[in-house]
Amino acid sequence: MLSDEYEPRGCVYLLNPSNGEEKFRFCPDEYKFYITDVRVIGNELYLAGASLASGDAFIYAVRGRKTRKVFVASAGEHLLGVRVHLIVGDEKIKVIYSLSGWTGNADVSGHCIFWRKSLIKVGCEEHGD
């Protein structure tokens, strides 16, 4: 699910288990995006990860033909380590993140809560060392 030097972005594929045919594909629009978590709930796909190039973490919600992208946090530099985990509830989404920057001086971790329907941020808390 990580993009490589030939493909600038990672993708998620949903396949038909009986015949292996591709039913759905989603490729985030972030360069060098590392996908760390995917949740499929009914007809909705939630995806989390971060751009190794920019250091920015995002979540995506795909509902039918509509896609929403929401910024979560940033290390502000190239990333060496990424953890972005989703907990999707009936009304809210909790995103737990840890981003390790190239220099080690820009490491950030914490969690954010978003309303599931609108993806409006309820709040975030950054965790200390």
Side-chain angles (χ1 to χ4, degrees):
M1 288 194 276
L2 171 63
S3 54
D4 61 26
E5 63 184 300
Y6 304 108
E7 176 63 37
R9 46 189 192 158
C11 297
V12 172
Y13 298 88
L14 296 179
L15 305 176
N16 182 329
S18 63
N19 61 17
E21 288 184 18
E22 182 180 309
K23 294 171 61 175
F24 173 82
R25 172 184 9 180
F26 177 71
C27 302
D29 62 358
E30 285 294 315
Y31 181 68
K32 296 291 184 185
F33 194 74
Y34 186 73
I35 299 167
T36 58
D37 204 357
V38 177
R39 298 281 182 251
V40 177
I41 306 199
N43 293 330
E44 300 176 350
L45 172 90
Y46 296 92
L47 181 142
S51 167
L52 298 180
S54 71
D56 297 339
F58 296 94
I59 59 171
Y60 288 82
V62 181
R63 299 171 180 139
R65 296 181 185 260
K66 293 184 181 181
T67 301
R68 301 262 329 261
K69 173 176 139 181
V70 179
F71 174 81
V72 175
S74 180
E77 65 180 23
H78 292 296
L79 296 177
L80 287 179
V82 176
R83 288 187 188 162
V84 186
H85 180 67
L86 295 170
I87 301 170
V88 181
D90 290 339
E91 294 183 14
K92 295 179 184 171
I93 300 171
K94 183 173 186 176
V95 182
I96 303 164
Y97 64 89
S98 177
L99 308 173
S100 298
W102 183 262
T103 65
N105 297 323
D107 295 355
V108 294
S109 64
H111 69 272
C112 295
I113 307 288
F114 297 87
W115 289 107
R116 181 174 165 188
K117 185 176 180 179
S118 65
L119 293 183
I120 293 173
K121 188 183 297 181
V122 174
C124 289
E125 182 177 317
E126 194 166 308
H127 303 162
D129 293 335

